[in-house]
Every structure is written in structure tokens, then in C-alpha cells.
């Protein structure tokens, strides 16, 4: 595993410490989000990507590809555990744009990380393909604003949750929305989920014709002060101050160029990218 971890660190450009402390957790998390893009090219072809560690390394580390949440956070959890962190794999309901938390299924994977010597765990997530994603992990503390790199997040408790476990909601501050406002990103509880659970969810999201990931292209990349996203034909660049630029792609050749130039992704031969 040590060779894999070193290859991973080379991929994300991490030259810092290899130890289980908060500084390393935050640094590796940020480096991962800036180095490995979010993308759904396998699901777009109705193929469930493998979550086997060997395949994750081959795709996200060795090749010019990215992945979606199950791939990113599965790989990240393996690295964290090799460094000595404790990791609990969680499921979450993505609630961006939803009227009710209960209207969305648990289809997102996030991580609860125990840091040796620290009083409480951290929420970590390198695989949320949205502008409100975490750039660095945040302590599992309610009603406190955290600044992670250029972004602002907070955790709150969901009101009137009916289940036996407390429901947490990750919120992101959106400066581009009406002069700035807090927006819910996803909701989760703390009970652990295991590899077989994510195998089932992964297969469903990648093959169900009603899944958003089988219907159109989703690609995301984070850079210092900027966020790039391609949804279908629309390429959007959002700066840290909320400034937004958009353009629409016209054909497959242009889409492949944008993937390579803006996201560092080489699309598989024969893949159809645009509707």
C-alpha cells in the first residue's frame, strides 16, 4: 500500500507530511480536490465504474481520468486509513434545489474522519461534484461557520427529522446568489455504510436510465480562486467572488477539447459526450 500512497501523492502534487494529523488531512484533501476532476463518463455510457482499489488507482491515479463520489471518496478513504486515520463511510441525500430532505434518496458518499488526538471527528468529502463542495474537511460541529480555502461552509441540524439518528446538513455560502446566501448541499446521519452498500448504490446511479448521471455529462474541476463545471453542453467558470462566465459547446470535437484543456481528461474512444 505504501507504493500506492506515494503514487497518489505524486498524482495530487502533495509534498507535505505523511502522518495522521489535522494539517495533513486538510492539505491532502485540498490537493486532491484541485488535482483529480469529478466526471461521470462511465455512467454516461451506462457502465458502473469499479470500486476495487486496484481499478480506482488505475483510473484516478495512473490515467488522465477522474470519477464521481464513490470513486473519489473510496480512494481517499484508503489513503487516509493507510496514514493512520479512522474513517467511517457515510451516505447522504443531495438536497441542492430540493424542497424537502426526504424527497431525495441517499445516493452520495461522504466520510467521517477520526484524527488521533483530536476531540471530535471531521466531515471530509473530495467527491461532491458541485460548486458548494468542501475544499477542506470541517469539524463535525453544528452552527459554526468554517472557511475552507476560498469557501465558507457550516453544519446545521435538520429540523423535524423523523429518524432515530440526528440528521446533519452541510450548507455552503453562495456569493453569486442574490447578494450571498446559505444553501443546503446534502443531509446525512452518522451510521456507517459498508462496501456492499456502495456497490449497490453505485450500480443504480450508473445504470438507471432515470439517474441524472446517465442522461448528460457532468464534469467539475477546482483551481485556486476558480471553479469549472461542464453540464451537458454548458461550460461555466465561477470565480471566488461570484463572477460567472458561461459558453455553450457546439459539437463532440469541441467537447473533447474542453475536457482535455480545461479538465485534464482524455475521454474514452467511442464515447458520445453531447446529447
Amino acid at each position: 500500500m505504501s507504493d500506492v500512497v506515494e503514487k497518489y501523492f505524486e498524482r495530487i502534487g502533495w509534498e507535505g507530511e505523511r502522518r495522521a494529523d489535522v494539517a495533513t488531512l486538510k492539505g491532502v484533501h485540498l490537493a486532491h480536490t484541485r488535482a483529480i476532476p469529478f466526471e461521470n463518463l462511465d455512467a454516461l455510457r451506462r457502465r458502473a465504474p469499479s470500486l476495487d482499489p486496484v481499478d480506482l488507482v488505475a483510473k484516478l491515479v495512473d490515467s488522465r481520468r477522474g470519477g464521481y463520489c464513490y470513486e473519489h471518496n473510496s480512494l481517499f478513504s484508503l489513503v487516509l486509513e493507510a496514514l493512520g486515520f479512522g474513517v467511517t463511510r457515510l451516505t447522504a441525500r443531495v438536497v441542492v434545489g430540493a424542497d424537502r430532505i426526504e424527497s431525495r434518496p441517499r445516493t452520495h458518499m461522504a466520510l467521517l474522519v477520526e484524527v488521533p488526538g483530536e476531540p471530535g471527528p471531521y466531515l471530509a468529502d473530495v467527491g461532491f461534484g458541485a460548486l458548494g463542495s468542501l475544499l477542506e474537511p470541517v469539524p463535525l460541529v453544528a452552527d459554526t461557520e468554517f472557511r475552507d480555502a476560498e469557501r465558507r461552509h457550516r453544519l446545521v441540524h435538520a429540523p423535524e427529522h423523523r429518524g432515530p439518528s440526528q440528521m446533519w446538513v452541510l450548507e455552503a455560502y453562495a456569493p453569486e446568489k442574490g447578494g450571498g446566501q446559505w444553501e443546503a448541499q446534502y443531509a446525512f446521519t452518522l451510521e456507517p455504510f459498508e462496501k456492499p452498500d456502495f456497490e449497490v448504490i453505485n450500480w443504480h446511479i450508473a445504470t438507471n436510465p432515470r439517474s441524472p448521471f446517465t442522461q448528460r455529462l457532468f464534469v467539475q474541476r477546482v483551481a485556486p480562486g476558480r471553479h469549472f463545471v461542464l453540464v451537458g453542453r454548458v461550460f461555466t467558470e465561477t470565480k471566488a467572488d461570484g463572477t460567472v462566465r458561461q459558453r455553450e459547446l457546439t459539437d463532440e470535437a469541441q467537447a473533447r477539447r474542453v475536457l482535455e484543456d480545461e479538465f485534464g481528461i482524455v475521454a474514452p474512444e467511442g464515447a458520445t459526450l453531447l446529447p
Side-chain angles (χ1 to χ4, degrees):
M1 187 66 184
S2 60
D3 290 343
V4 170
V5 171
E6 290 305 317
K7 286 172 61 178
Y8 168 82
F9 285 148
E10 183 178 353
R11 169 76 163 98
I12 68 173
W14 177 251
E15 298 178 349
E17 298 290 344
R18 274 78 164 153
R19 60 190 182 197
D21 59 19
V22 173
T24 300
L25 175 62
K26 289 185 175 182
V28 174
H29 192 291
L30 180 60
H32 182 123
T33 61
R34 289 177 171 172
I36 307 178
F38 178 98
E39 50 106 327
N40 69 322
L41 297 181
D42 288 344
L44 194 62
R45 297 187 292 164
R46 307 283 176 88
R47 299 178 182 180
S50 172
L51 302 184
D52 182 87
V54 173
D55 295 328
L56 291 172
V57 171
K59 182 181 177 185
L60 275 68
V61 177
D62 294 335
S63 69
R64 295 188 62 188
R65 288 289 302 277
Y68 59 10
C69 68
Y70 319 118
E71 299 169 277
H72 278 276
N73 283 321
S74 292
L75 175 63
F76 191 54
S77 66
L78 293 173
V79 172
L80 293 182
E81 288 171 334
L83 292 175
F85 294 96
V87 180
T88 300
R89 293 150 183 85
L90 308 176
T91 59
R93 303 178 189 274
V94 178
V95 295
V96 179
D99 294 330
R100 296 185 306 109
I101 290 175
E102 295 78 8
S103 67
R104 299 285 178 83
R106 292 190 185 224
T107 57
H108 179 60
M109 180 183 189
L111 305 174
L112 193 67
V113 181
E114 301 280 350
V115 183
E118 292 296 314
Y122 282 71
L123 176 69
D125 186 355
V126 294
F128 189 50
L131 183 58
S133 62
L134 288 172
L135 296 182
E136 297 175 339
V138 296
L140 190 74
V141 176
D143 304 317
T144 301
E145 179 180 329
F146 299 101
R147 292 182 179 266
D148 48 307
E150 302 100 11
R151 296 183 181 172
R152 297 162 59 185
H153 287 91
R154 68 183 183 187
L155 290 163
V156 299
H157 291 310
E160 302 178 1
H161 174 58
R162 294 181 297 170
S165 301
Q166 177 69 63
M167 178 73 75
W168 295 78
V169 180
L170 176 69
E171 295 185 336
Y173 187 77
E176 74 280 5
K177 299 290 182 67
Q181 63 186 38
W182 288 98
E183 289 192 329
Q185 302 299 302
Y186 55 77
F188 61 96
T189 52
L190 302 184
E191 62 265 31
F193 281 70
E194 306 300 337
K195 183 178 178 180
D197 302 315
F198 292 108
E199 292 286 356
V200 172
I201 302 170
N202 177 43
W203 179 84
H204 165 76
I205 289 297
T207 63
N208 189 328
R210 297 177 60 186
S211 165
F213 286 135
T214 64
Q215 297 176 23
R216 58 180 176 172
L217 186 64
F218 285 90
V219 188
Q220 170 189 268
R221 182 173 74 86
V222 177
R226 295 185 296 170
H227 177 271
F228 303 95
V229 63
L230 177 60
V231 180
R233 293 177 175 268
V234 180
F235 174 73
T236 304
E237 176 186 355
T238 304
K239 295 185 178 180
D241 63 1
T243 304
V244 178
R245 293 194 309 169
Q246 283 189 335
R247 61 188 173 101
E248 187 169 341
L249 308 186
T250 58
D251 55 39
E252 289 284 320
Q254 186 181 30
R256 286 180 174 271
R257 287 195 301 272
V258 167
L259 282 183
E260 188 159 358
D261 295 343
E262 302 292 351
F263 298 95
I265 293 172
V266 176
E269 291 186 13
T272 300
L273 303 176
L274 301 180

